[in-house]
Amino acid sequence: KLPPKSQIRSIRFSRDMYAAENHAAGMVFVDLVTQPGMGPLRGSMDFLFRDDALNARNAYVTEKGPEQTQQYTFNMSGTLRKERTSFSLSATGASLYDSANIYAYIPDGQAQGAIRRPSDRINFNGRLDHAINNSHTLRSNLQSNGNEQANLGIGGYDLPARAYARTSDETLLRLSESGPWARNVFGENRLQLRRQSSSAESDIEARTDRVLDTFTSGGAQQAGGRSVSDLEWATNVDYSKGRHAIRFGSLVEGGWYESDNRTNYLGTFTFTSLENYEAGTPANYTQRIGNPLVEYTHWQAGLYIQDDWR
């Protein structure tokens, strides 16, 4: 859907034959730029609620597990300075839980039940558009996402002691500047900065005992995490003259990466039957040892030029 004609600042048609950033090579792309600082202040709010009232019971357990979702959404956009600056804000929060159904057999008999698995997440998105002059526009966008989950790793043959929690966060900042440099030259610069991290933590620190097709007990043996900090900078220039439409540009990507994820660091005994477990005769034992820390940087750069001659 096109915006009103009064808000359209420029329309460009370009054919991208070889640029790596567009996978549909040879297609004609329509780039429509709107005028910042147009339109009134507007906003909305939403609320969603759902529970397990109409859920059916899992056939493998004797009781129905709890489940519920609560979600909130807020949006606002408008003009900060007429025909110059506009903004938009949006935020979404959710608090929910579902159930992990356990159907295992332990030495004392059958173990059944439904364990609640809570999850909380929040997402934020803010955008600011500013007209630097009559032809060039500066755009900025900030995104932030966070998620926390608990009681993961439970369900099926895995007993409640196998639970672990996971936390993840991501922040993304995008900046771009675009506009004509001359009558038949158009340029665009883009910068993206991203920070991402995740971590896991077990509820208990203990060795794992796995009895095939019966039960798995002990700690989840999940620890450590991963973090990423990277950037991307790109420049594209379009030049048209006569039957030629020339596009050239550059791309620089790089990042810093760190990971110390650890799993099975206390060891796992595997038993082929409940009788072997009670007799203390495992079929095998596995354990991951050593320092899990991995740190490195990675950079790459590229140049391209293309000519669409008709």
Side-chain angles (χ1 to χ4, degrees):
K1 183 178 179 180
L2 290 175
K5 182 180 178 181
S6 60
Q7 297 183 17
I8 297 177
R9 192 172 193 179
S10 67
I11 301 177
R12 294 189 308 119
F13 300 88
S14 63
R15 182 182 297 274
D16 202 336
M17 299 300 295
Y18 305 109
E21 60 186 299
N22 292 318
H23 300 287
M27 299 295 292
V28 175
F29 295 89
V30 181
D31 186 12
L32 188 149
V33 179
T34 56
Q35 174 69 36
M38 302 289 290
L41 181 67
R42 57 174 62 92
S44 65
M45 295 184 65
D46 295 290
F47 172 70
L48 180 146
F49 177 82
R50 180 177 63 85
D51 67 2
D52 55 15
L54 299 179
N55 286 6
R57 176 182 58 84
N58 188 292
Y60 292 98
V61 295
T62 57
E63 60 182 36
K64 183 176 69 173
E67 183 176 347
Q68 187 179 102
T69 299
Q70 298 181 38
Q71 182 172 302
Y72 314 85
T73 304
F74 169 79
N75 296 283
M76 178 177 289
S77 61
T79 297
L80 293 177
R81 185 180 175 187
K82 188 176 181 180
E83 298 184 359
R84 279 293 183 180
T85 309
S86 59
F87 79 99
S88 66
L89 299 173
S90 66
T92 302
S95 179
L96 56 98
Y97 56 83
D98 60 4
S99 297
N101 296 301
I102 298 175
Y103 30 90
Y105 290 88
I106 58 177
D108 296 334
Q110 189 173 4
Q112 288 189 0
I115 305 298
R116 180 180 298 189
R117 295 186 300 189
S119 176
D120 295 293
R121 62 175 180 262
I122 185 169
N123 305 310
F124 171 81
N125 192 324
R127 181 185 176 106
L128 185 68
D129 297 341
H130 177 67
I132 303 174
N133 50 39
N134 293 331
S135 57
H136 287 259
T137 303
L138 177 64
R139 304 183 186 275
S140 60
N141 180 245
L142 176 64
Q143 299 179 24
S144 180
N145 307 309
N147 191 10
E148 295 182 0
Q149 298 172 283
N151 284 344
L152 299 176
I154 305 175
Y157 299 119
D158 290 280
L159 300 178
R162 297 275 296 157
Y164 69 94
R166 178 186 293 131
T167 302
S168 60
D169 298 284
E170 182 181 28
T171 301
L172 185 67
L173 175 64
R174 290 191 177 107
L175 300 172
S176 68
E177 185 275 333
S178 61
W181 296 355
R183 183 177 179 180
N184 54 353
V185 180
F186 186 92
E188 178 190 30
N189 295 284
R190 301 195 315 269
L191 174 65
Q192 174 180 288
L193 303 174
R194 181 174 67 117
R195 171 68 178 176
Q196 188 179 47
S197 64
S198 63
S199 61
E201 182 179 3
S202 302
D203 280 10
I204 65 171
E205 295 291 343
R207 185 195 72 196
T208 300
D209 292 328
R210 177 175 290 113
V211 183
L212 299 180
D213 298 328
T214 306
F215 73 89
T216 302
S217 63
Q221 302 190 59
Q222 299 278 345
R226 185 173 186 267
S227 63
V228 176
S229 299
D230 57 23
L231 66 86
E232 175 185 317
W233 177 74
T235 298
N236 296 309
V237 178
D238 293 320
Y239 171 72
S240 60
K241 185 175 182 180
R243 297 184 178 183
H244 293 269
I246 300 174
R247 164 172 279 201
F248 59 91
S250 63
L251 175 66
V252 177
E253 295 178 325
W256 299 263
Y257 306 88
E258 179 180 331
S259 175
D260 63 350
N261 280 322
R262 292 186 297 156
T263 60
N264 196 30
Y265 46 87
L266 298 177
T268 299
F269 283 105
T270 301
F271 301 85
T272 57
S273 66
L274 188 59
E275 291 75 16
N276 290 335
Y277 171 75
E278 294 176 333
T281 55
N284 62 58
Y285 174 78
T286 60
Q287 183 181 6
R288 299 186 66 179
I289 60 176
N291 186 358
L293 180 62
V294 176
E295 295 177 297
Y296 66 95
T297 60
H298 177 256
W299 293 88
Q300 60 184 12
L303 300 172
Y304 79 91
I305 183 170
Q306 64 187 44
D307 182 13
D308 186 13
W309 177 34
R310 293 179 171 242

